Amino acid sequence: MRAFSYFSDSGVDVTSLENGTPRKTGESRLALGGICKTRRHKTGTYRASISDQHPGLQERNLQVWLGEIDENTFHNIDDPNSERREKNIFVGLTNLGATCYVNTFLQVWFHNLELRRSLYKCQNSRAQEHNIDSDYEPQSICEHLQYLFALLQNSNRKYIDPSGLVKALGLDTGQQQDAQEFSNLFLSLLEETLSKEKNPNLQNLIQQQFCGQFFYVTICNQCGRSSTLPSRFYELELNIQGHKNLTECITEFLKEEKLDGENRYFCENCQSKQNATRRIRLHSLPPTLNLQLMRFVFDRQTGLKKKLNTFINFPEQLDMEPFLERKLDQKCVYELSAVLIHRGISAYSGHYIAHVKDALTGDWYKFNDEEIEKMEGKKLQLGIEEDIAETGKTQSRKPKCSKGYHCSRNAYMLVYKLQEEESSDSLRTNVEVPSFLQKLVDQDNHKFEEWCMEMANMRKLSVDKGRAKHEEVKELYDLLPAKDGEPYEFIPLDWLKKWLDDSTATKEIDSSIFLCSHGKLHPDKMGEIKRVSLQAAKLLYERYGGGPRLDGSSLCRDCVSERCRVLRLKKQLDEDYKEISNLVKRMPSSEGYWVGKASLRSWRQLALEQLEEDDDESRHSNGQTNGQGPHTNNKFGLDVSGGAEDETETFNEDIICNHGGLSILEAERKLVSTEVWTKLREYFPKAPEFPHIQEPCRQCLTLEQEEKDNEAVSKMMALDQKNQLLNLFHEKNRPTLIKWPQGTDRLYIVPLFFVEEWRKFIRRPTKSSPVSNVGNSLLLCPHGGFMFTYDSLINGEAQHIALLWPNEWEVISRLFIVDKPIVIHCVRQTTPDSSTTLYTTQPDLCWECRESFLFQQQRDLREYTQATVYIRKVIEDKMTAKDGTPELNACSSEAEEEREELPKVDGDKDPDFSQSQDGAKRMKLNDSCEASAATTSGTSMIKSGGIRRSTRHRKLRGEKALIVSANQTLKELKIQIMHAFSVAPFDQNLSIDGKGLTDDSATLGSLGVIPECIICLKADEPVTDYAAMDDAYQVRMPEEGFKGTGLLGH
């Protein structure tokens, strides 16, 4: 039978278990994976036994332990010598996250021998007096550079950590910054720090190395007067757009510029603005010439930076003499000493590396954070640094370069050194680390050597333990396989796997998890254990301990029988289900038993779940015994002692009322034959039984009659109230405040919430509760004063109230409980000259609470978070929606308004009074709608300056909602709009009620942007190249640069 196939591979004759006695079929096959009948080779036997259950375990475990020994498998510790500096290779710098731009400049400045030599001369009393027993912690920028340069020069490490300097500068290690800006700010900071040195040769070090001078020469076209303005530079910023080589870039930098129109020049000789020409004249050049290639430019369409991936050709030797107007005595030939590279297509991401020429040997090196690579043949090789992903359809090809030239589309800075005559003076070429710094370097090298020795010792210890384990495995391996006919025991397979995997300590053997509730070996755990010889098991338990020990006689007979019983019942269940289904379909008889229709539909699933629970208990119960084994108190031997309680809570309980009797709802129950009920009873012996003569619950019948009586009373009450207040119910002949009605000098005020709840009751008296209390306290302050003025009511706040005629108030006072009447009086004063009308309320207005209310209202409008605003795109002052038609008609029908049910209000916690003022401009309404809104005191009142947010926004087609906060800037909102409408921030013209929003740095709260308001978006020419917006999608927040860092003096 298929039901017993589960145990057929275990070597147990399950058919004999039904008779109460287990019997082995030949040699026991309970071992994991089976035992080979013929053992040609014990290695092959054991391999088959393991690999059958865990593919891959054989290769990892057996070949490692029995084959050639690889010492690296005994530990996971890298060779510490891999962290050691290689011979004739410079030291790298650790990338702390996004600090590659810092590392590139540090390497370039380190290879400036004059700069390094001079920095070593800076006074550093802290380093000179440092005790080697403690760690050295530099303080000033010069101290950090000294220590960092000394480590880069003589450290034994492959790379060092620059976190001390980065932390001192206050840089964010997770944010990539503009490399050029960092270079300028850092050199300025270093220049300021060196100016305070006592040594005069150090005070002007930065100027001597990097500073040159040019003149702005301006010539008036009218009088010919020439004006010269000197200026210093530390680098030349060269425009590369539209150029192919470095010479063209420098030529454009020095090109004459016309000053005309609004940019005219004020000539002191003419004493007026005149057309003029201006150009730059190079006067002097520094020993180190930094040429900044302007790859990162401002994109007018996106309002953000973008990168120019233009190929630029540059020479190894640069003769600057043609660009100098005043010929100098010395030569102006420069040699290329460094190329700084930015890899990546975006200005906001990518990676910085540096190619630097060793001033001593002339070899080129590539500095990529921790990795340093020496170029072959003493030539600059840009290599894969030029391989960037291009988004265009056609990729630009790299131009051919002449000898002595290089071409790059990623180089953003070129460093040239003034060519000097070869000198044998070692003092000019060699830079020695001062003794006080070398002492610190030696201290760090000593720590590194100690670490290397510690790692080597740990590796050796792990290898020694692994070798010992190897010998142990070899010894036990021959004993593990159990021979046919010999005694054996079971060992957990996971433990054996860990024993083979782990070269060090192994935990004791734990077999308790394989026991069933009877304390014997559970049949479902056979796949998780491995049969080994008795001798091998004895050695393993002696060395590692544990237990309990399991052998062939440990298999639980009761659990095997229970599993077979469950499988048999599952099959029987299918047969009973078909039979019961056929019996139920027959013509119903007048006798039988009541069964819930829901229970009748799901009885098979309920019975199956009970069998699964019994099966799970048999599978997973550990250390718990059930005494006499499974109960057999029903036909199929179902265990109902514990599980039956759960079944009686479900099956047929769907027709039990709250009083424990038969439900009065006949539609939810069905009369089945005695034969059907008998079969169901066998599965659910404790299910509630209701014969066909059983009467429904009398209490439920009584309650049902009472409910019908109450509904009749409610209908009569609703009809009576409706007839007395018919106009109020239908909203006909309603008084208004804008045009005071004739014939009365007073109107009564009640909360609109009361009227709406009353209308709900009138419409559906059997589904809604009757209204008993008017609740005018909702409109009063804690002092009992009225919260609204006549002007505020006619300007929008009337949406909170309903106006009543005096005769209607008399009816309401008689029908409902009134806590406090609220009356508004119209007093007309007539004099011979004029006539005035005054409006007063009773109770009087509480000015103190009114002002507090208005203050809180304005505060909410300025301090909101996560509020919704609507962006409406307009084209030529017309809405994008067809004819500006709302998706939902603003002047909706009465039935539509009635469907908008307001939330219930409890006491003073009326949400209408706790919300801040809504946006004043919701939607353009036609005149008829506005008139209708103005003359309605109920839900149809459209607010023009109210405070309630709950009024539904009628959104136009194409209008989009955005979530904003009051402290958010307009620029951040524009970025959100760009993502929603694909309109670049620069092309967005935003306005509210015709008032433009222009200050990008201002907050939305200060600009008057309030929750639920509508912002009109008018776009200039649309951006067709959406690839140009790629950078904008990466930058969600405005750039802050080096704000708040030590580079700006903070």
Side-chain angles (χ1 to χ4, degrees):
M1 295 174 62
R2 293 182 60 188
F4 304 136
S5 62
Y6 174 87
F7 300 102
S8 61
D9 294 334
S10 301
V12 177
D13 185 358
V14 292
T15 58
S16 65
L17 291 175
E18 293 181 290
N19 299 325
T21 304
R23 181 178 73 248
K24 296 182 180 179
T25 56
E27 290 293 333
S28 173
R29 299 184 62 217
L30 292 174
L32 175 63
I35 297 297
C36 299
K37 293 300 181 181
T38 58
R39 295 174 69 251
R40 297 180 180 179
H41 194 281
K42 55 188 175 184
T43 302
T45 302
Y46 191 62
R47 284 181 176 180
S49 300
I50 293 181
S51 60
D52 285 347
Q53 291 297 327
H54 287 265
L57 185 63
Q58 167 189 338
E59 178 183 357
R60 168 65 182 90
N61 297 335
L62 301 183
Q63 292 183 5
V64 168
W65 296 111
L66 303 180
E68 295 295 330
I69 301 177
D70 183 4
E71 294 183 352
N72 291 328
T73 61
F74 297 143
H75 62 81
N76 58 356
I77 303 174
D78 294 333
D79 185 1
N81 288 319
S82 63
E83 302 292 310
R84 189 180 298 278
R85 177 181 183 178
E86 299 179 19
K87 186 178 181 180
N88 297 327
I89 292 294
F90 289 101
V91 178
L93 291 167
T94 303
N95 191 333
L96 305 176
T99 56
C100 51
Y101 69 97
V102 178
N103 293 344
T104 55
F105 278 105
L106 289 177
Q107 294 286 9
V108 170
W109 294 329
F110 169 76
H111 283 80
N112 188 316
L113 300 185
E114 186 59 34
L115 176 63
R116 193 198 318 171
R117 183 185 297 109
S118 300
L119 283 175
Y120 284 160
K121 296 178 182 179
C122 290
Q123 184 69 24
N124 191 344
S125 58
R126 183 178 291 100
Q128 293 173 349
E129 300 172 1
H130 175 67
N131 185 354
I132 61 174
D133 296 333
S134 59
D135 293 333
Y136 172 63
E137 297 182 358
Q139 299 296 324
S140 67
I141 298 300
C142 287
E143 292 175 1
H144 277 286
L145 278 182
Q146 279 184 334
Y147 185 46
L148 201 62
F149 283 1
L151 289 175
L152 287 174
Q153 185 167 341
N154 289 340
S155 177
N156 292 342
R157 301 178 186 268
K158 183 179 180 179
Y159 50 84
I160 61 175
D161 185 358
S163 57
L165 174 63
V166 172
K167 184 178 180 181
L169 294 175
L171 302 179
D172 183 356
T173 58
Q175 183 177 0
Q176 191 175 91
Q177 297 283 9
D178 186 284
Q180 178 194 7
E181 185 180 5
F182 168 76
S183 173
N184 292 335
L185 293 175
F186 187 86
L187 288 180
S188 298
L189 181 63
L190 185 60
E191 180 180 16
E192 180 184 356
T193 304
L194 291 173
S195 65
K196 302 175 184 178
E197 288 287 327
K198 296 180 180 179
N199 188 342
N201 296 327
L202 300 178
Q203 294 176 356
N204 298 320
L205 172 62
I206 302 301
Q207 293 93 321
Q208 294 169 1
Q209 278 296 308
F210 304 102
C211 185
Q213 189 179 44
F214 58 70
F215 292 100
Y216 288 105
V217 180
T218 307
I219 301 177
C220 177
N221 291 352
Q222 180 67 23
C223 66
R225 180 179 181 274
S226 177
S227 173
T228 303
L229 179 65
S231 178
R232 295 191 306 175
F233 69 90
Y234 291 85
E235 60 183 26
L236 296 180
E237 298 181 353
L238 305 179
N239 176 35
I240 65 172
Q241 196 163 13
H243 301 303
K244 297 181 180 179
N245 56 59
L246 186 62
T247 302
E248 294 179 4
C249 299
I250 299 177
T251 302
E252 186 198 5
F253 180 77
L254 302 175
K255 185 177 64 174
E256 186 176 88
E257 175 189 7
K258 292 183 179 180
L259 304 180
D260 53 15
E262 295 182 356
N263 198 28
R264 286 184 299 170
Y265 163 72
F266 182 83
C267 178
E268 294 184 357
N269 189 36
C270 300
Q271 286 297 307
S272 62
K273 285 189 175 183
Q274 300 291 340
N275 293 339
T277 59
R278 174 176 292 172
R279 61 187 177 88
I280 294 176
R281 187 179 72 193
L282 289 177
H283 179 264
S284 62
L285 299 174
T288 301
L289 180 62
N290 294 326
L291 301 180
Q292 181 73 39
L293 305 181
M294 304 299 290
R295 290 205 175 271
F296 306 113
V297 297
F298 179 77
D299 188 347
R300 182 180 178 275
Q301 286 188 323
T302 63
L304 300 168
K305 288 191 302 183
K306 73 173 183 179
K307 180 183 177 183
L308 300 177
N309 295 305
T310 305
F311 279 107
I312 293 296
N313 193 296
F314 54 91
E316 292 184 356
Q317 285 193 350
L318 176 64
D319 187 2
M320 291 295 294
E321 186 173 2
F323 303 107
L324 292 170
E325 295 197 3
R326 185 174 67 88
K327 304 303 180 182
L328 303 178
D329 296 336
Q330 70 273 21
K331 293 183 178 180
C332 295
V333 178
Y334 286 80
E335 290 186 349
L336 184 66
S337 64
V339 180
L340 279 70
I341 299 289
H342 173 268
R343 295 201 65 205
I345 62 174
S346 170
Y348 297 96
S349 61
H351 183 57
Y352 290 92
I353 60 176
H355 293 263
V356 184
K357 184 178 181 181
D358 183 8
L360 299 180
T361 64
D363 294 328
W364 279 92
Y365 292 83
K366 182 173 76 171
F367 293 87
N368 185 7
D369 293 331
E370 298 89 349
E371 301 296 328
I372 312 297
E373 180 184 353
K374 182 180 179 181
M375 302 289 102
E376 297 181 359
K378 295 188 177 183
K379 292 183 179 180
L380 172 62
Q381 300 173 14
L382 297 180
I384 62 171
E385 282 69 43
E386 296 307 313
D387 298 335
I388 62 174
E390 294 197 50
T391 57
K393 295 182 179 179
T394 58
Q395 294 187 356
S396 56
R397 295 183 178 180
K398 181 178 180 179
K400 294 183 179 179
C401 296
S402 304
K403 185 177 181 181
Y405 284 81
H406 299 278
C407 193
S408 172
R409 59 179 168 185
N410 282 329
Y412 69 92
M413 185 171 181
L414 306 175
V415 181
Y416 283 90
K417 293 283 292 182
L418 186 64
Q419 190 179 59
E420 298 179 352
E421 297 182 0
E422 295 186 3
S423 174
S424 59
D425 186 3
S426 61
L427 294 178
R428 294 183 58 84
T429 56
N430 293 333
V431 180
E432 298 293 336
V433 178
S435 57
F436 70 92
L437 290 176
Q438 185 60 45
K439 180 178 63 174
L440 299 176
V441 175
D442 292 340
Q443 180 185 1
D444 183 75
N445 287 337
H446 179 69
K447 289 182 179 179
F448 175 70
E449 297 300 335
E450 287 183 342
W451 176 82
C452 289
M453 187 175 299
E454 181 182 356
M455 292 297 103
N457 291 336
M458 291 176 62
R459 282 167 59 97
K460 183 177 182 303
L461 181 62
S462 297
V463 170
D464 292 343
K465 290 182 178 180
R467 288 182 176 276
K469 184 63 171 291
H470 178 260
E471 296 299 325
E472 178 187 28
V473 172
K474 288 179 63 177
E475 175 189 357
L476 288 175
Y477 178 73
D478 294 334
L479 301 176
L480 280 176
K483 299 179 180 180
D484 294 340
E486 294 184 356
Y488 58 87
E489 289 191 18
F490 295 112
I491 299 295
L493 187 60
D494 283 343
W495 187 92
L496 281 174
K497 183 181 178 182
K498 292 179 181 178
W499 175 67
L500 292 176
D501 283 343
D502 194 355
S503 61
T504 58
T506 304
K507 296 181 180 181
E508 65 177 18
I509 304 171
D510 182 13
S511 302
S512 61
I513 59 175
F514 305 109
L515 302 181
C516 67
S517 58
H518 311 103
K520 292 190 175 184
L521 180 59
H522 199 295
D524 290 337
K525 301 294 184 180
M526 296 304 301
E528 302 177 25
I529 54 178
K530 173 66 187 160
R531 190 180 76 158
V532 301
S533 66
L534 182 62
Q535 185 179 1
K538 182 179 179 181
L539 289 175
L540 289 175
Y541 276 108
E542 287 178 354
R543 295 182 181 179
Y544 298 101
R549 299 176 66 166
L550 305 174
D551 56 20
S553 63
S554 302
L555 181 65
C556 181
R557 181 187 63 184
D558 293 337
C559 289
V560 173
S561 301
E562 177 65 15
R563 291 300 310 281
C564 293
R565 182 187 65 80
V566 171
L567 291 174
R568 185 172 63 250
L569 286 180
K570 286 183 179 179
K571 184 177 182 181
Q572 182 65 37
L573 179 62
D574 293 335
E575 298 176 358
D576 288 344
Y577 176 73
K578 294 179 181 178
E579 183 177 356
I580 290 177
S581 298
N582 292 330
L583 292 174
V584 171
K585 292 178 181 178
R586 295 179 183 176
M587 187 68 64
S589 61
S590 58
E591 298 182 356
Y593 294 85
W594 290 110
V595 178
K597 290 184 178 180
S599 295
L600 197 59
R601 287 191 299 266
S602 61
W603 77 268
R604 181 176 179 271
Q605 182 63 29
L606 295 175
L608 187 61
E609 288 176 359
Q610 176 61 37
L611 289 174
E612 295 292 347
E613 290 178 5
D614 294 342
D615 195 12
D616 290 341
E617 289 181 7
S618 174
R619 288 171 182 261
H620 304 298
S621 58
N622 296 326
Q624 298 178 359
T625 60
N626 54 8
Q628 302 299 323
H631 293 269
T632 56
N633 58 350
N634 56 32
K635 173 181 176 181
F636 298 99
L638 287 173
D639 181 8
V640 297
S641 61
E645 293 296 331
D646 295 334
E647 291 305 325
T648 56
E649 292 177 3
T650 53
F651 183 77
N652 218 30
E653 287 197 354
D654 50 328
I655 59 173
I656 298 179
C657 70
N658 296 332
H659 312 104
L662 180 62
S663 172
I664 62 175
L665 301 176
E666 294 187 11
E668 296 181 0
R669 47 190 166 94
K670 183 179 181 63
L671 191 65
V672 300
S673 65
T674 304
E675 185 180 1
V676 172
W677 177 252
T678 302
K679 287 186 174 295
L680 292 174
R681 190 73 170 176
E682 291 170 351
Y683 287 95
F684 311 104
K686 293 190 177 182
E689 184 175 278
F690 298 104
H692 69 282
I693 59 175
Q694 180 78 35
E695 293 185 0
C697 176
R698 292 190 175 276
Q699 291 179 266
C700 291
L701 291 173
T702 302
L703 292 175
E704 183 184 28
Q705 185 60 41
E706 291 179 357
E707 184 177 354
K708 291 180 179 179
D709 295 341
N710 291 335
E711 289 181 356
V713 172
S714 296
K715 289 181 179 179
M716 292 177 60
M717 181 187 301
L719 182 61
D720 178 59
Q721 293 180 3
K722 178 181 178 181
N723 291 334
Q724 295 188 61
L725 299 169
L726 193 60
N727 286 341
L728 179 61
F729 176 75
H730 290 297
E731 290 190 86
K732 294 181 179 179
N733 189 26
R734 306 312 309 149
T736 64
L737 295 178
I738 296 178
K739 185 177 181 180
W740 189 270
Q742 299 293 329
T744 182
D745 61 349
R746 68 184 185 277
L747 295 174
Y748 288 84
I749 295 176
V750 294
L752 180 61
F753 175 74
F754 159 75
V755 177
E756 291 176 340
E757 290 297 309
W758 174 74
R759 285 175 181 155
K760 290 179 186 177
F761 169 70
I762 300 301
R763 293 189 189 100
R764 306 180 67 184
T766 60
K767 301 296 183 181
S768 303
S769 300
V771 180
S772 60
N773 196 331
V774 174
N776 272 350
S777 59
L778 292 175
L779 306 177
L780 303 178
C781 72
H783 310 109
F786 194 47
M787 286 291 293
F788 305 96
T789 65
Y790 173 80
D791 291 335
S792 70
L793 290 176
I794 64 174
N795 288 326
E797 291 183 356
Q799 61 183 353
H800 303 293
I801 67 162
L803 296 176
L804 304 178
W805 296 99
N807 61 335
E808 290 177 334
W809 175 252
E810 293 179 4
V811 175
I812 286 180
S813 300
R814 187 173 63 254
L815 296 177
F816 306 100
I817 300 174
V818 178
D819 49 359
K820 185 72 173 179
I822 302 177
V823 189
I824 181 167
H825 295 273
C826 175
V827 181
R828 292 183 174 87
Q829 297 179 351
T830 304
T831 62
D833 299 331
S834 63
S835 176
T836 59
T837 303
L838 300 179
Y839 299 94
T840 61
T841 61
Q842 185 181 0
D844 296 334
L845 175 70
C846 181
W847 284 106
E848 180 182 354
C849 293
R850 174 69 182 176
E851 291 177 357
S852 176
F853 171 74
L854 293 175
F855 175 79
Q856 183 63 37
Q857 169 186 331
Q858 294 299 322
R859 180 179 177 182
D860 290 343
L861 292 177
R862 298 292 180 265
E863 299 181 2
Y864 56 86
T865 58
Q866 298 297 305
T868 302
V869 297
Y870 298 92
I871 310 300
R872 184 176 298 168
K873 188 175 181 181
V874 296
I875 301 176
E876 296 181 356
D877 297 328
K878 294 183 179 180
M879 299 179 184
T880 56
K882 296 180 180 179
D883 301 326
T885 304
E887 293 180 352
L888 297 174
N889 189 1
C891 297
S892 54
S893 65
E894 177 183 310
E896 180 181 358
E897 293 295 340
E898 290 174 353
R899 287 196 296 268
E900 297 182 19
E901 297 182 0
L902 295 176
K904 294 185 178 181
V905 180
D906 181 14
D908 294 335
K909 298 180 180 179
D910 184 356
D912 291 339
F913 291 87
S914 62
Q915 300 293 336
S916 61
Q917 183 173 356
D918 191 10
K921 289 78 190 174
R922 279 308 193 108
M923 175 171 298
K924 275 191 176 181
L925 302 177
N926 54 43
D927 295 339
S928 62
C929 289
E930 290 178 353
S932 174
T935 58
T936 304
S937 60
T939 57
S940 58
M941 173 81 66
I942 302 298
K943 61 183 176 180
S944 60
I947 61 173
R948 184 183 176 196
R949 296 182 187 172
S950 58
T951 302
R952 181 181 59 190
H953 176 79
R954 274 94 176 174
K955 214 168 62 169
L956 293 177
R957 297 181 184 91
E959 185 176 289
K960 297 185 179 181
L962 298 180
I963 303 299
V964 298
S965 301
N967 59 356
Q968 183 176 325
T969 64
L970 182 62
K971 182 176 182 180
E972 293 169 357
L973 174 63
K974 286 185 175 182
I975 293 176
Q976 288 181 265
I977 296 175
M978 178 184 68
H979 288 281
F981 290 92
S982 297
V983 177
F986 191 86
D987 295 324
Q988 297 176 19
N989 297 296
L990 305 180
S991 63
I992 298 180
D993 287 341
K995 179 182 178 182
L997 307 178
T998 57
D999 188 354
D1000 286 349
S1001 61
T1003 63
L1004 300 186
S1006 63
L1007 292 173
V1009 178
I1010 60 178
E1012 301 290 327
C1013 71
I1014 295 176
I1015 300 176
C1016 290
L1017 164 64
K1018 184 178 180 181
D1020 292 338
E1021 290 298 324
V1023 178
T1024 56
D1025 183 13
Y1026 294 107
M1029 300 174 67
D1030 177 65
D1031 288 340
Y1033 279 91
Q1034 300 180 36
V1035 182
R1036 300 298 182 103
M1037 300 300 293
E1039 296 181 77
E1040 293 189 357
F1042 293 97
K1043 179 181 179 181
T1045 68
L1047 293 172
L1048 296 177
H1050 297 288

